[in-house]
Amino acid sequence: MKFEWISANITEILCDTLVILVSHDHTCLNELHFEKHQQVTGQIADILRDQPAQSGFGTTTTIYTLGQLRAKQILLIGCGDEKLSLDKWRALFAIAARQAKKLQSKSLCFVLPEDKEAICSKLIEAAVEGSLLGTYSFDDYHTKEKMSGNLETCLFTGLEKVDAFNEIVTRSKIVASSVNFSRDLVNQPACAMTPSILAQQAQDLASTYGCLKSTILDRKQMEELKMNALLAVAKGSNEPPKLIVLEYNGHSSSKEKIAFVGKGITFDSGGISLKPSKGMEEMKDDMAGGAAVLGAMRAIAQLKPKLNILAVVPCTENMPSGHACRPGDVISSMNGKTIEVVNTDAEGRLILADAVTYAKEQGATHLIDLATLTGACVVALGTVASGVFTNQADWCQKLLDAAEKSGEKLWKLPLFPEYKELIKSSIADMKNSGGRDAGAITAACFIAEFAEQTPWIHIDIAGTVESNKDCGYQVKGATGTGVRTLVQLAEELAYENG
């Protein structure tokens, strides 16, 4: 999609859909200047008078201009009666772009509100990201062509063009396309996104962007490193496990290395502790943490922030078989700590344990892991926010600040010492599940045992990984959650480095 700035009276703008924002008091947020088109002016006024609900957030009304304007149709979109955050603006632009796409539009023009001159650059960022995220669709397996069209051009008008317009558009397109890349990975069925295929995706990123170095560890190499926790999960599957490693070195003189660790279970049956059949098809998304890390690295490789990042994605399926790990087995992790496996469906923390240890041995000074880890986090926070856990408050605050700027919602949960008691084992150093009580917290406590003293953050994205409907800039299916926060954090840290 192309994004352009145009300076013209909106009555003269040639496009398929002209997007006009409607405020809470039922007036347009722009001086329309339809002096020669009183019929159009009157129609808009009648709609705003007779349909007060039109101003509700995200409500859309289409007006066909019937040749009176150069635009084929006007799309009125309500802004609601609350002060809009940047994320709300992003959602509004997404709704407008998605509706324009349904109207078979190839071009649309956003008329930016005249009272928002001070945040014009932020509105452009929101519009670009919203348009690309909100019109995303996963059509790899549809045999019939969809009726909706493809937006090709997005115009902006209504304010003075900002000097950094091209830079804002470029950055926003990189971020949004990387989120959509992550969405694509998660939306693929497990038969088409095995550990080997996900590893190939990482290698393709390294080939495309020369600033990334890829290393893929196979089973034999993991055995040599004694990654027995990861390998225990992989035992039940015929698909070979992979450990994906991507390195980005943007600050050669810095000793700091940030590790992004993403859970890469490409299908989770639960293993011997088999999940219920209902909803099991959704377990293809259990590699969304890994997909978020790869999406973030795709953006970082193009934005080139001045810092060093190590991406580690442990990949395997979790399947039941005669070779599978059993409840009651005791395994030894890469760092030597022993684990009693009381539930084979608590497998994500096992592969993350070895991946975190590996990242530390590769020189990581700060850690962030992302995982669709627990249903307990969904119970606690629903589908609105991801859960956050940390052993270092200052490090966590940097992430929370980055998330707020990116528009992704995170909520910090505690790791009080008392919770650690729930994962104590009578026959090993720890067990891999503390039971139902505080399940998201005890899972984080388990990973913390391997982060040890290294500043570490765990993000449980189990509730935010998918959307069950089109809503704002989210569309039904994978959300790509985590990508925008990681990219924003990388840029913030690079800014701190000067």
Side-chain angles (χ1 to χ4, degrees):
M1 192 184 301
K2 295 189 299 183
F3 295 87
E4 300 175 2
W5 192 279
I6 184 169
S7 296
N9 188 298
I10 60 178
T11 62
E12 301 299 322
I13 294 173
L14 179 62
C15 65
D16 291 330
T17 300
L18 187 69
V19 179
I20 302 294
L21 299 160
V22 178
S23 69
H24 64 90
D25 59 358
H26 310 157
T27 60
C28 295
L29 293 181
N30 313 87
E31 293 295 335
L32 298 180
H33 302 300
F34 286 137
E35 293 91 347
K36 297 180 181 180
H37 304 283
Q38 294 299 319
Q39 185 175 348
V40 175
T41 307
Q43 190 173 0
I44 293 174
D46 289 345
I47 289 172
L48 297 179
R49 183 192 66 233
D50 299 337
Q51 300 181 29
Q54 165 59 43
S55 64
F57 182 85
T59 302
T60 60
T61 301
T62 303
I63 301 173
Y64 295 95
T65 62
L66 302 177
Q68 296 185 61
L69 306 180
R70 301 194 74 188
K72 292 181 180 179
Q73 60 232 354
I74 294 171
L75 183 65
L76 301 180
I77 182 164
C79 296
D81 58 1
E82 59 183 272
K83 184 178 181 180
L84 297 183
S85 65
L86 182 60
D87 202 50
K88 286 287 189 180
W89 281 113
R90 188 182 288 110
L92 275 181
F93 289 123
I95 293 167
R98 188 160 56 244
Q99 183 64 21
K101 183 179 178 181
K102 289 178 181 178
L103 293 169
Q104 303 289 306
S105 300
K106 290 188 176 181
S107 60
L108 82 160
C109 180
F110 288 120
V111 183
L112 299 180
E114 295 177 343
D115 63 342
K116 301 298 179 183
E117 186 78 42
I119 61 167
C120 184
S121 61
K122 291 297 183 182
L123 290 179
I124 295 166
E125 175 187 315
V128 174
E129 290 185 3
S131 298
L132 293 174
L133 296 176
T135 57
Y136 167 85
S137 62
F138 182 73
D139 300 320
D140 286 15
Y141 301 97
H142 288 125
T143 57
K144 292 184 178 180
E145 186 175 350
K146 286 192 172 183
M147 291 299 293
S148 60
N150 288 315
L151 280 172
E152 297 174 359
T153 304
C154 177
L155 305 173
F156 296 94
T157 193
L159 296 173
E160 292 296 321
K161 180 179 179 180
V162 297
D163 293 336
F165 177 79
N166 292 333
E167 291 83 353
I168 294 168
V169 168
T170 297
R171 191 258 182 197
S172 300
K173 287 178 70 173
I174 288 170
V175 172
S177 64
S178 295
V179 173
N180 287 340
F181 170 79
S182 176
R183 287 172 164 180
D184 281 343
L185 298 180
V186 179
N187 282 328
Q188 287 287 348
C191 61
M193 193 51 61
T194 64
S196 297
I197 296 173
L198 190 59
Q200 185 60 56
Q201 290 282 341
Q203 289 178 307
D204 290 346
L205 287 179
S207 297
T208 302
Y209 306 106
C211 56
L212 296 179
K213 175 187 175 183
S214 69
T215 304
I216 309 297
L217 275 60
D218 59 20
R219 187 190 301 272
K220 183 178 179 180
Q221 291 167 304
M222 286 186 266
E223 288 173 346
E224 292 172 353
L225 291 170
K226 298 182 179 179
M227 292 184 167
N228 296 319
L230 196 166
L231 292 170
V233 178
K235 285 169 62 177
S237 175
N238 290 333
E239 292 289 341
K242 302 291 181 182
L243 185 77
I244 298 170
V245 183
L246 285 177
E247 296 178 73
Y248 169 79
N249 294 310
H251 196 344
S252 58
S253 61
S254 174
K255 294 182 180 180
E256 288 195 350
K257 182 183 290 188
I258 314 302
F260 296 159
V261 181
K263 177 184 173 184
I265 298 290
T266 57
F267 187 76
D268 182 17
S269 70
I272 298 296
S273 304
L274 194 66
K275 292 178 179 291
S277 59
K278 184 179 180 180
M280 194 189 288
E281 73 279 2
E282 297 176 4
M283 290 301 102
K284 66 178 185 177
D285 70 11
D286 216 17
M287 40 65 73
V293 167
L294 294 185
M297 295 302 286
R298 179 185 183 275
I300 287 165
Q302 297 173 76
L303 297 172
K304 295 181 171 57
K306 191 177 180 182
L307 80 167
N308 304 319
I309 302 177
L310 175 72
V312 182
V313 182
C315 298
T316 182
E317 292 182 332
N318 183 28
M319 299 289 282
S321 77
H323 299 286
C325 180
R326 296 155 293 225
D329 284 358
V330 175
I331 58 179
S332 179
S333 62
M334 184 180 177
N335 75 349
K337 293 181 179 180
T338 57
I339 304 163
E340 178 189 7
V341 179
V342 297
N343 186 340
T344 64
D345 194 25
E347 86 298 330
R349 65 204 73 181
L350 296 177
I351 70 170
L352 289 172
D354 281 348
V356 165
T357 300
Y358 178 85
K360 288 170 59 181
E361 293 197 357
Q362 296 301 306
T365 58
H366 295 75
L367 300 161
I368 299 174
D369 78 77
L370 298 90
T372 48
L373 207 64
T374 66
C377 195
V378 186
V379 173
L381 299 175
T383 60
V384 175
S386 301
V388 176
F389 310 80
T390 188
N391 64 1
Q392 222 273 4
D394 291 342
W395 173 228
C396 187
Q397 192 57 52
K398 292 179 185 293
L399 179 81
L400 294 174
D401 291 344
E404 184 175 3
K405 290 180 181 179
S406 74
E408 294 189 316
K409 293 179 174 62
L410 305 181
W411 193 258
K412 187 179 175 184
L413 293 169
L415 285 180
F416 298 134
E418 291 85 349
Y419 291 116
K420 185 178 174 182
E421 296 294 316
L422 297 176
I423 59 169
K424 281 189 174 180
S425 168
S426 60
I427 63 171
D429 293 331
M430 68 192 83
K431 55 185 179 181
N432 76 323
S433 176
R436 290 176 59 85
D437 292 350
I441 295 173
T442 55
C445 286
F446 182 91
I447 303 170
E449 289 295 300
F450 300 88
E452 297 177 318
Q453 301 306 310
T454 304
W456 157 83
I457 301 166
H458 162 60
I459 309 175
D460 193 329
I461 60 172
T464 55
V465 62
E466 286 194 328
S467 176
N468 61 8
K469 62 181 179 180
D470 293 350
C471 182
Y473 55 82
Q474 302 295 6
V475 297
K476 184 176 174 59
T479 61
T481 189
V483 174
R484 289 184 290 143
T485 293
L486 293 182
V487 174
Q488 184 69 39
L489 177 65
E491 291 181 317
E492 296 285 337
L493 294 174
Y495 180 80
E496 289 180 9
N497 290 336

